[in-house]
Amino acid sequence: MGSVRIEHLNKVFNGNTALEDVNLEIREGEFFALLGPSGCGKTTTMRCVAGFETPTSGKIYIGDKDVSNIPANQRNCGMVFQSYALFPHLSVFENVAYSLNIRRFYQGGMGTKIATLAHLLNSKLGKLDRETEKKVRDSLDFVELGHLADRLPGQLSGGQQQRVALARALVMEPAVLLMDEPLSNLDKKLRNVMRVTIRQIQQKVGITTIFVTHDQEEAMSMADRVAVMHGGKLVQVDTPTALYSNPVSRFVADFVGSSNILQGSVKETNDVGETLIEIGGNRLLRSSFPAKKKDVEVIIRPESVRLFTGDATDSTDNILDGTIELSTYLGPTIRYDVKVGDLQFEVDTIFEAGNPLLEPGTKVKLEIDPSRVVII
Amino acid sequence: MKKRLSLRFDGFDVLKWIIYLFFFVFLIIPLFSILLVSFTGEPVNLFGSLTNEKILSSTLKKLSNVSVEAYTSIFTGGSGYFEALVNSLKLGVGVALLVTIVVLPIAYAFARTKMPFKPFFAAICTIPLIMPTFISSYAFVLMFGKTGWVNHIYQALGGEGVLFDVQSMMGIVLVQVFFFFPYALWPMVAAFKICDVTLEEASQNLGAKSWYTFMRVTLPLAMPGIISSMLLIFTVSFSDFGTPIILAPKDLNLIVVEAYREIAGFFNWAGSAVLTIIMLIVAAFFFWLQRMVIKGKEYGTISGKPTKQKLNDHKGAVSVLTAYTALVMLVPLLAVGSVFLSSVATTWGHHALPDGYTLDHYKTIFSTSGKNIMNSMLLAGGTLVISVIISTFVSYFVVRRGASGLDFVSSIPLIVPGIALGIALIQTFNTAPLHLTGTALLLIIAYTIRRMPYMIRSTMSSMMAIRKDIEEAAVSLGASSLVAAITVIGPLMLPGIAAGAILVFVTVIKEASISILLAPTDWAPMSLAVFQNLLRGEYYTACAMAILIIVIVVILQALAKKITKDQLY
C-alpha cells in the first residue's frame, strides 16, 4: 500500500507523443519529484497516475493494485493543484470536509444520501456527524488553520490557500499525494517557507508523494529522489546529490544547476585509472571518470573550480591559465567569467569580507580536482 | 462501468443535435425560405414540401420561376423600396455620426477626467437602455409635439410655433441619438482607458502640447474602439422599429416601417421578403465591418498589465465637460419624467404642466389590462425557461467540448433585425404542417432566438470562469463527474445563469418589433398594449403601462446586478 509503480507508460495526444515508455518505481513514504522544463511530460505522468488522463498504453500500480482502469474518483489519490482549485463557494471547513461528505454520500443509505447531498449544496442544511467534524478540525489544526475554518477561500492569502488545499487532500487519507507545481503561485519568500512546511507535513504523515515542478532548486531541496524528464522521456532518476554531482547527460547537467560544458577528445587512460582529455589548444584535463568513447563532453560545476592569482601554488596539476573577463558580485559568492584560450569558464568563489573583487584583465589560474571533472 | 459511460456520451450527443435542430427549424429554414420567396415572388412552404407531394411539386414549380425581378425593380422605381433603403441608410449614418460626436466628450470625461458624479451619470445612462424605443419616441411627442410642454415654454419665451417638427426624420434622429448613446458610451470609455498613459507622457516629454497629444496620440489609439461603436450604433439605428413606427410621417419611407406595412397591412409576401433580405444584408455587412475594425487593432492588449491612468483635473475643462454631460443626460431623464407626468395627468397639452393629477390611469390598466400584464409575465417566463435550458447546454458544448458550430449558429441572431426575424417566422410557419403563426409558442420561440446570443454570452462566461481543475479537484476527492457537476459546477454557475435569465426576461418585456408583429390578440403583452393604446389615442393609459414596464425592468435589472455582484467570491 502506498508505493507507485509505472510500467511502460505511453501517451499520445492527437499524434503527438507526450510520454514515451516511462518506467518508475516510487517507494512507500518517498517524496518523489518529477522535474523538467514545460512540455517534458511531467504533468502528464502525474495526471495519468491521478486518472485524469488515460494512458495510450502501459500500466500504473498503486500499492499492488493495478489502477489503470479505475476511474479518477476511485483511485484515492489526494491532489494539490497548481491553482489550488479550492471550491470558491465553500468555506475552508466545507472544502476540507468535501471528500468525507462525498464518501458518506456513496456509502450511506438513502436517508444519509439525501442529507449529505443537501449539505453539499448548502452547508446550512443537514449536520455533519461528530467523527467527520473532528477529522476536519484535526486536519485544519494540523496545517495551523483551525482559526480560519469559516472563511471563504478568497479571503485567504496564497500560503493559507495552499495549506487548505493540502489539508483537503490529506483528510481523505489518500494512498498517494500528488502535487502539481504547488509553489509556483507564491512569491519567493513564501515559497521557501512553504517548501519546508510541505516537507515537514509529508514527513509527519509519511505519505508517498509525487511532486511536479520545473524548478530544480525546489526539487533538489525537497525530494528524496528526483526524476528528470525531457521530451516525454525519463532522463535520470536519482537522489538530488547524485543528480548534481554525476549527471548522465548534458541536459541534466544544464538543467540541474549551472555548469561549464566543454567538448573534448580522450587521449589516454593513465595508470591510476584517470582519463586524460584534450579540451582544445593542447590543454589537458584529468578526470577520475571513465570514458566510453573518444569524443566526449566534460562537465565542470562553477564551484568545483578553484581560482587563484599568480603563483600562489607551485602545483601544475590540472591547472589552466586564464584571464578574468567579468566579475559579478552575487552576495555570498562571486561569479567570474574567465577566458582560457578560446574557452569560456564560469567560476564561483566564496566572497570573503576584505578581499576585493578581481578586476577584469587579471591573469588567474584555475585548478580543477579530477574527481569533479564529469565525463558524459 | 465503461458501457454506462459511453451511453452518457450518446445522450449528450443527442442533446446537441436537438439544439442544432431547434436552430435549423426556427432560424436557418425561415431565413432560407424568405430568401427563396424574395426570388420567386410567391409564398414557399418548405416544411409542407417535405411532407406532402403536391406541395412539393408546386414548390418546385415556383422555384422554376425564380427571377431577380424583385430586386431589379427596386432600382427601376415604383415600389418606393429604394427610397426606403436610402432613407434608412441616411438615418443610420446620421445617427452613428451624431452619437459619436455627442458621446466623445462624455466618454473622455468618464475615462480620463476627475469629473464629479460619475456614478450618478452612469445610473442615468441606464434609462435609455431600459426604455423601449417606441415609449421614448412617445416621450418626445409629449415634449416636442405641437402641444408638448417644451413648446409651451418656447412659446412663453416668445417663440413662434414649434421648435421642430417631432414627426419627422429630425425627430427620429434625435430620439435615437439620445436613447442609443449608452451603447456607444461604454465601449468608447473602454477605448480611452486602454491608451497607456506613458505614451501620452512620452509625447508630452517630447515637447507636445496637451491638445496636440490628444489629437495625435490619445485619439488615434482610441480610434478602433470609436469606429467600432459607431458601426454598432448604425446597426442598432438601422434595425430599430420602435422609433420610426411612432414618429415617421406618412411621406417618410424607412425600410423597417415599409417591411412592417407590407406584411401587416398588405400581406405582400414577396415585397416584405425582399425588404427582409436587404435589411439582413445591410446589418450583416456592418456587423462584419465592425468585427474587422476590432480585429488586429487591439493596441490595448499589448501589455497584459492594467495601465495606470492619470486623470485630467484641469478645473475649466472638467466643469465644461460636467455641464455638457449633465445636459445630455437631462434629455432621457426629462423623457421619463414626461411619461410619468402624463401617466398621472387628467389631461395635458393646454399648458406646460398637466391640468390636473389623477391615479385613474393606473386603475384602468390594472382593471382592463391585467391580462396584458399576465401575458407578458407568461411569455417572458416561457422564453426564460427555454433560453436557460438551451444556452446552458450550448455553453457547455462550446466551452467544454469545443462545439464551435453551435457557437456560430447561436450568434446568427445578432445580425437579424427583430422585424426581419418576425417576417421570416410568420411566412415560414403560416401553413401546415407546422402552422405556428399566431400562436404564443412561435412568439416565445422568436423571443428566445432573438435574445439567445446575449443569454449564451452570459452563461458561457460563467462556464468559462469555472476552471477545469475545480471539477478535477472534486473528482480527485471522490466525486463522480455527475456528482461534481451537481455539487460544485452547478452552484458556481447558478448566479450567472440567474442573472442572464433575468436579463432575458427584461428584454422580452420591453421587446417591441416581434411583439407587434407576431403576438396574437389573446396573447398581447404589455408592450403591444402600450403600442395599441397609442394608436387608439389612449395616451394616458399607454403612459401608465409604460411606467409599469419601466418599473418592472428597473427592479429586475437591479436584481440581476446584485446577483452577478454576489457571484464574485
Side-chain angles (χ1 to χ4, degrees), chain B residues 82-144:
Chain B
F82 185 66
E83 199 195 337
L85 174 63
V86 171
N87 283 339
S88 279
L89 288 174
K90 271 189 203 161
L91 173 68
V93 171
V95 171
L97 285 176
L98 267 176
V99 164
T100 309
I101 295 167
V102 167
V103 164
L104 212 54
I106 304 180
Y108 180 80
F110 261 103
R112 308 302 297 274
T113 71
K114 288 190 173 162
M115 180 170 70
F117 318 122
K118 274 185 197 172
F120 175 67
F121 285 140
I124 294 183
C125 281
T126 58
I127 291 176
L129 299 178
I130 57 182
M131 260 172 105
T133 46
F134 66 97
I135 294 179
S136 349
S137 307
Y138 183 64
F140 258 56
V141 174
L142 286 171
M143 291 163 78
F144 301 104

Side-chain angles (χ1 to χ4, degrees), chain A residues 47 52 73 83 86 98 106 172, chain B residues 469-470 472 475 478-480 487:
Chain A
R47 289 173 62 82
F52 295 133
N73 61 323
S83 62
L86 298 177
Y98 186 84
Y106 281 120
M172 61 192 270
Chain B
D469 53 14
I470 294 264
E472 287 179 352
V475 170
S480 66
T487 58

Side-chain angles (χ1 to χ4, degrees), chain A residues 12-251:
Chain A
V12 179
F13 284 114
N14 312 318
N16 297 320
T17 306
L19 292 179
E20 205 180 323
D21 196 35
V22 172
N23 291 285
L24 272 178
E25 177 125 33
I26 298 160
R27 296 170 205 131
E28 187 169 348
E30 191 172 32
F31 196 115
F32 192 89
L34 289 170
L35 174 69
S38 62
C40 71
K42 56 190 191 299
T43 300
T44 311
T45 307
M46 166 178 283
R47 289 173 62 82
C48 284
V49 175
F52 295 133
E53 306 288 354
T54 317
T56 310
S57 66
K59 290 237 176 288
I60 294 168
Y61 297 87
I62 295 179
D64 295 326
K65 199 165 136 202
D66 179 0
V67 296
S68 310
N69 291 316
I70 293 180
N73 61 323
Q74 291 163 29
R75 285 200 186 182
N76 202 20
C77 291
M79 180 133 177
V80 175
F81 291 82
Q82 185 168 13
S83 62
Y84 317 136
L86 298 177
F87 306 132
H89 62 303
L90 297 179
S91 68
V92 166
F93 185 90
E94 292 300 334
N95 259 285
V96 177
Y98 186 84
S99 62
L100 302 176
N101 280 321
I102 291 289
R103 197 169 292 169
R104 243 156 66 92
F105 172 80
Y106 281 120
Q107 287 169 358
M110 210 48 188
T112 319
K113 269 198 193 350
I114 293 169
T116 317
L117 194 61
H119 180 80
L120 280 168
L121 288 175
N122 188 333
S123 51
K124 288 185 196 85
L125 299 174
K127 275 197 99 179
L128 291 176
D129 60 318
R130 228 184 247 144
E131 195 193 346
T132 311
E133 172 109 25
K134 187 178 179 318
K135 262 190 180 170
V136 176
R137 293 271 169 225
D138 288 349
S139 160
L140 279 173
D141 288 340
F142 186 64
V143 295
E144 295 168 12
L145 282 178
H147 59 297
L148 298 177
D150 296 326
R151 298 267 186 97
L152 286 176
Q155 299 166 319
L156 303 184
S157 72
Q160 289 167 337
Q161 290 186 18
Q162 168 81 80
R163 281 184 280 161
V164 176
L166 206 54
R168 185 178 68 173
L170 288 174
V171 77
M172 61 192 270
E173 292 164 7
V176 189
L177 179 65
L178 307 174
M179 305 182 94
D180 185 6
E181 303 259 4
L183 302 178
S184 62
N185 280 337
L186 303 175
D187 61 59
K188 194 168 163 53
K189 244 192 178 149
L190 196 53
R191 207 157 28 193
N192 292 341
V193 175
M194 283 310 292
R195 259 191 219 168
V196 180
T197 311
I198 290 177
R199 179 67 178 157
Q200 280 172 345
I201 287 174
Q202 190 268 342
Q203 299 264 294
K204 251 193 241 171
V205 183
I207 184 172
T208 315
T209 302
I210 303 180
F211 184 98
V212 162
T213 180
H214 66 275
D215 181 339
Q216 52 98 8
E217 213 178 302
E218 224 165 85
M220 306 285 271
S221 64
M222 293 169 82
D224 296 319
R225 279 195 307 151
V226 180
V228 181
M229 294 188 74
H230 183 46
K233 287 185 214 163
L234 281 178
V235 186
Q236 189 172 4
V237 183
D238 242 322
T239 60
T241 45
L243 212 56
Y244 189 81
S245 56
N246 197 359
V248 299
S249 74
R250 184 191 175 123
F251 174 78

Side-chain angles (χ1 to χ4, degrees), chain B residues 251-274:
Chain B
D251 56 346
L252 176 64
N253 276 344
L254 285 168
I255 199 160
V256 275
V257 183
E258 196 71 22
Y260 171 67
R261 283 189 195 135
E262 292 288 12
I263 189 96
F266 310 118
F267 301 104
N268 178 355
W269 294 56
S272 59
V274 170

